Amino acid sequence: MSIETAPEETPERRAYYERLAPEGLAALWTRFPELVSREPKSPIRPHLWRYQAVRALLMEAGGLITAKEAERRVLILENPGLPGQSRVTRSLYAGLQLVLPGEVAPAHRHTQTALRFVMEGEGAHTAVDGEKTIMRPGDFVITPNWAWHDHGNDSDRPMIWLDGLDIPLVQFLDASFAEGYGADEFPRGRPTGDNLARFGQGLLPVDWEAGETRTSPVFSYPYARSRETLERLRAAEEWDACHGIKLRYVNPATGGWAMPTMAACLQLLPKGGETEPYRSTDATVFTATEGRGRTIVGEPILGETILDWGPRDVFVVPSWAPVRHEALDDAVLFSFSDRPVQEALGLWREDRGAA
Ligand code: 1HN
């Protein structure tokens, strides 16, 4: 017996194992290798979704069903390694959501945390606990666990964003609760932009305390600001060999990740740049906001997957797979993963110069 191989099966042993099942029992030594692998072994596959192809199908859905009737009109980005399971990685869900001009997606809340990353359109809004934020391409917006949220599009163009939710994680823990508000909009309270003005300026109201929520009090991170920060760091030449320039979206009250279950980052890869191999245990979903490039996933001997991406394409990299990025233009990648969960549990690992 070793940790990687189960002991040989003999007729006698097999007969014994068969008697265990009806008793609700199983022999650990037959299961060890599948339960405790030497390294992460994931059914998740590297995969890329072309934005224009998904967009065409999403617009077709726009003619089939309203956002209101669908509750949320979304095409799920389903990992081909786990078909039918509504997941992009083992722990996370991703989808592309369409809200057409004049539409609303009614107010509801759930224990799943959501993030939005705007792909297309300008001027539609989402509201979190009654506070509206106007969405523009590249904006990163979060909906905390159990916060009321509704979306609306008062602009004259379709609005499409990438949704990331911790659905499979919450499902795994059997901790899903959800309810509808019973009206399109949750009553409006604070003025639009209040969260950023109050919490996003390096200041906090003097007696403010974080309270129950572990999510950032800033729920809207405009692209213009994040992009500007990337440029500042480029000017300072703060390049990292594995990441280019990579920033994490933080909760300004704690300095930690903006959400307790999902990490989100924005990174700049310079034209012609190639990153060093890198791997980490958090399977990661990426989308390019600008530029074209190529991401090579895997190892030369064991098999590589080449993902050629352009603006708004979405791709996923499995846990512990070595990754290299090559940028054909100055490129900006947004990404999200379950890293905060793994960190909180002491599970997260990375390997720079992997493979
Ligand atoms: C949800 O509430 C939204 O609010 C999007 O936009 C996708 C997928 C499953 C469950 C709830 C949204 C969702 C979702």
Side-chain angles (χ1 to χ4, degrees):
M1 172 68 189
S2 81
I3 197 144
E4 281 159 79
T5 51
E8 202 186 320
E9 262 200 9
T10 62
E12 211 179 354
R13 288 176 179 174
R14 195 170 311 123
Y16 169 73
Y17 301 150
E18 279 165 14
R19 284 166 44 219
L20 295 177
E23 307 296 329
L25 295 168
L28 172 61
W29 62 90
T30 65
R31 304 266 178 94
F32 230 108
E34 68 185 83
L35 295 180
V36 185
S37 59
R38 200 169 60 83
E39 289 194 345
K41 261 193 203 164
S42 182
I44 292 303
R45 296 219 288 263
H47 190 76
L48 179 140
W49 291 265
R50 277 275 162 249
Y51 182 70
Q52 289 307 333
V54 183
R55 184 191 192 279
L57 288 163
L58 196 51
M59 293 306 292
E60 225 182 287
L64 280 177
I65 191 163
T66 63
K68 196 167 173 170
E69 189 189 351
E71 185 81 16
R72 298 296 185 261
R73 190 201 290 111
V74 182
L75 288 181
I76 302 173
L77 306 179
E78 207 168 59
N79 193 286
L82 287 173
Q85 294 196 23
S86 308
R87 27 182 126 191
V88 66
T89 69
R90 184 88 85 154
S91 60
L92 299 178
Y93 157 106
L96 284 175
Q97 175 158 184
L98 169 67
V99 185
L100 288 169
E103 284 194 318
V104 290
H108 71 199
R109 64 177 178 176
H110 38 70
T111 49
Q112 291 81 359
T113 294
L115 67 83
R116 334 271 171 205
F117 191 77
V118 181
M119 307 295 254
E120 178 184 332
E122 180 157 345
H125 63 266
T126 185
V128 172
D129 282 330
E131 182 183 332
K132 262 170 79 165
T133 188
I134 304 293
M135 298 162 100
R136 296 178 186 83
D139 289 357
F140 167 63
V141 179
I142 61 192
T143 309
N145 158 352
W146 209 237
W148 292 107
H149 54 288
D150 50 82
H151 317 304
N153 186 352
D154 304 323
S155 82
D156 56 8
R157 280 184 291 164
M159 190 81 191
I160 299 176
W161 63 75
L162 174 67
D163 282 317
L165 288 93
D166 53 10
I167 292 172
L169 187 69
V170 174
Q171 187 179 44
F172 177 74
L173 299 169
D174 285 334
S176 176
F177 293 89
E179 61 185 350
Y181 181 67
D184 288 351
E185 289 188 351
F186 186 76
R188 302 301 186 226
R190 287 176 298 277
T192 302
D194 187 81
N195 70 97
L196 200 57
R198 204 181 280 261
F199 300 106
Q201 310 283 12
L203 297 162
L204 290 175
V206 66
D207 289 324
W208 186 80
E209 282 178 34
E212 288 289 289
T213 172
R214 310 247 206 108
T215 307
S216 171
V218 172
F219 69 86
S220 176
Y221 298 72
Y223 188 60
R225 287 188 176 204
S226 322
R227 188 70 183 84
E228 163 69 14
T229 308
L230 288 175
E231 282 309 315
R232 295 271 181 161
L233 297 190
R234 179 212 291 262
E237 301 202 13
E238 305 217 344
W239 301 105
D240 175 277
C242 295
H243 301 306
I245 292 170
K246 189 166 183 176
L247 301 172
R248 53 199 172 94
Y249 290 93
V250 298
N251 176 341
T254 63
W257 299 105
M259 297 161 286
T261 52
M262 289 184 285
C265 290
L266 194 70
Q267 77 194 94
L268 177 67
L269 301 167
K271 181 179 167 105
E274 289 181 25
T275 60
E276 297 284 320
Y278 176 84
R279 61 181 169 176
S280 58
T281 50
D282 52 325
T284 304
V285 179
F286 291 88
T287 183
T289 66
E290 301 170 26
R292 290 164 306 138
R294 152 178 294 194
T295 295
I296 300 136
V297 186
E299 295 167 42
I301 302 158
L302 295 174
E304 282 182 342
T305 303
I306 295 177
L307 305 169
D308 283 305
W309 42 261
R312 300 183 283 200
D313 292 343
V314 180
F315 61 96
V316 57
V317 170
S319 164
W320 213 234
V323 179
R324 286 177 292 136
H325 302 295
E326 298 174 6
L328 293 173
D329 312 305
D330 274 352
V332 178
L333 295 177
F334 169 81
S335 59
F336 68 95
S337 77
D338 64 9
R339 180 168 164 178
V341 178
Q342 297 200 30
E343 286 180 342
L345 302 177
L347 293 168
W348 187 77
R349 290 195 193 192
E350 67 177 341
D351 180 9
R352 297 173 62 92

